């Protein structure tokens, strides 16, 4: 499987005189978390399949600073952001795609004021554009007719109004999209945003991810689709807590499409 994945670094591509169409910002989760690495691989397979010229920063990529900013450390955020902006601007990067809504939101909305101006798209938006251009074809495959519910990541949906791209992709799988009561502009957080992923929960009588997963399971969906590695982790934990691992899968949109296309 490793041999099939072509992932050039930006420095290698530019040294060869090739300017990529897009830079894939992998993010900390997609680089280091074992579960999220599967999302990264699925997305890379789709990029290769669609013959997209892309590159990653590799070791030159560091955290966008989102967790630092959300937890109140503005100084650390600006240090991390400026380091990344220096690298991106030195390569004259114009377009960035990422599978992490936290990276997406930070790069898109918070880097411009620090001198980092790029076109930033979420991977579901990019996959939808590839589909619209005819560069990517989606087969129903083993998801045909299956009930799938989509959990809106906070920083994709309510923060940036991206609701339709992931849903359009699910429907192209010939699957039955079933909505939770709280969805789109009324969506409920998975419990990981605002740097909550990295700390213990406050006192209360129920974890947010348990509440959200119960809503998802209540739709009778066989698959909970996610568009964020943090959401993926929280919902997977929720499914385990409900002892439903054999009945309900949690998969990223990129994984759904890659699996359906037998990549």
């Amino acid at each position: 499987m490793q041999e099939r994945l072509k992932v050039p670094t930006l420095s290698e591509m530019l040294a060869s005189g090739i300017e990529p169409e897009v830079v894939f910002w992998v993010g900390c989760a997609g680089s280091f978390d074992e579960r999220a690495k599967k999302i990264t691989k699925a997305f890379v397979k789709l990029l290769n399949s669609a013959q997209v010229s892309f590159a990653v920063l590799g070791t030159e990529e560091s955290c966008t600073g989102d967790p630092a900013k959300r937890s109140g450390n503005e100084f650390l955020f600006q240090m991390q952001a400026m380091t990344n902006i220096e690298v991106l601007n030195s390569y004259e990067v114009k377009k960035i795609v990422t599978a992490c809504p936290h990276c997406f939101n930070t790069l898109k909305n918070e880097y411009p004021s620090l001198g980092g101006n790029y076109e930033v798209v979420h991977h579901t938006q990019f996959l939808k554009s590839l589909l619209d251009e005819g560069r990517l074809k989606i087969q129903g495959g083993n998801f045909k007719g299956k009930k799938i519910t989509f959990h809106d990541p906070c920083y994709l949906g309510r923060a940036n109004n991206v609701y339709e791209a992931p849903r359009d992709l699910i429907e192209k799988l010939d699957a039955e999209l079933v909505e939770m009561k709280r969805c789109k502009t009324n969506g409920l957080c998975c419990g990981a945003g605002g740097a909550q992923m990295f700390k213990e929960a406050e006192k209360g009588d129920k974890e947010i991810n348990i509440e959200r997963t119960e809503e998802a399971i209540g739709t009778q969906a066989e698959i909970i689709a996610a568009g964020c590695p943090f959401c993926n982790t929280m919902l997977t934990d929720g499914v385990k807590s409900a002892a439903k691992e054999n009945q309900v899968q949690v998969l990223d949109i990129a994984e759904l499409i890659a699996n359906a296309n037998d990549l």
Side-chain angles (χ1 to χ4, degrees):
M1 188 168 71
Q2 294 287 352
E3 291 172 13
R4 290 171 58 195
L5 293 182
K6 293 183 292 180
V7 189
T9 63
L10 189 53
S11 60
E12 288 169 351
M13 278 192 98
L14 294 177
S16 304
I18 306 165
E19 188 173 330
E21 178 183 341
V22 66
V23 170
F24 172 29
W25 186 277
V26 183
C28 300
S31 300
F32 302 111
D33 181 81
E34 288 305 318
R35 175 64 187 89
K37 283 181 190 176
K38 293 178 182 177
I39 300 168
T40 302
K41 288 175 182 175
F43 185 54
V44 166
K45 286 176 186 177
L46 292 170
L47 292 175
N48 285 335
S49 174
Q51 297 183 319
V52 174
S53 170
F54 77 98
V56 298
L57 285 173
T59 55
E60 291 185 277
E61 178 189 305
S62 66
C63 180
T64 59
D66 167 80
K69 188 175 183 72
R70 303 300 157 231
S71 56
N73 195 335
E74 180 67 20
F75 177 69
L76 178 57
F77 161 70
Q78 292 201 17
M79 279 176 58
Q80 291 177 305
M82 292 305 292
T83 301
N84 286 319
I85 289 167
E86 201 173 302
V87 172
L88 291 165
N89 288 353
S90 72
Y91 286 126
E92 298 181 1
V93 169
K94 296 175 184 69
K95 186 171 182 176
I96 299 171
V97 62
T98 180
C100 175
H102 298 261
C103 297
F104 166 68
N105 179 68
T106 305
L107 292 165
K108 179 175 182 281
N109 298 320
E110 288 164 350
Y111 273 33
S113 64
L114 298 170
N117 295 286
Y118 322 103
E119 180 189 353
V120 187
V121 294
H122 186 250
H123 73 319
T124 56
Q125 293 175 303
F126 194 67
L127 291 170
K128 177 71 168 57
S129 69
L130 293 176
L131 183 72
D132 293 343
E133 291 162 16
R135 298 169 69 184
L136 180 70
K137 289 180 172 56
I138 300 179
Q139 301 162 19
N142 46 356
F143 300 113
K144 193 171 184 178
K146 288 202 171 179
K147 278 190 178 181
I148 300 178
T149 190
F150 179 68
H151 164 78
D152 290 286
C154 296
Y155 281 107
L156 184 64
R158 286 174 297 161
N160 288 285
N161 292 312
V162 179
Y163 297 110
E164 299 314 318
R167 287 172 170 83
D168 289 346
L169 293 169
I170 290 169
E171 287 178 345
K172 286 289 186 291
L173 295 167
D174 292 332
E176 183 189 346
L177 177 63
V178 288
E179 296 285 6
M180 287 179 256
K181 285 181 182 175
R182 286 184 279 193
C183 65
K184 299 187 178 178
T185 54
N186 192 38
L188 178 68
C189 179
C190 72
Q196 295 290 321
M197 182 84 180
F198 307 104
K199 59 182 279 296
E200 292 301 318
E202 282 88 1
K203 287 180 181 177
D205 53 20
K206 196 176 197 180
E207 295 274 9
I208 294 176
N209 68 312
I210 303 296
E211 172 86 8
R212 187 55 165 166
T213 307
E214 285 173 357
E215 282 189 15
I217 292 170
T219 65
Q220 307 298 313
E222 298 160 81
I223 295 160
I224 304 171
C228 169
F230 290 174
C231 295
N232 197 302
T233 297
M234 300 301 273
L235 294 166
T236 299
D237 287 350
V239 169
K240 285 176 184 170
S241 177
K244 296 277 187 183
E245 297 108 306
N246 295 329
Q247 294 108 298
V248 182
Q249 276 184 292
V250 181
L251 293 168
D252 187 86
I253 299 279
E255 292 179 303
L256 286 169
I257 300 170
N259 289 348
N261 287 9
D262 291 324
L263 296 176

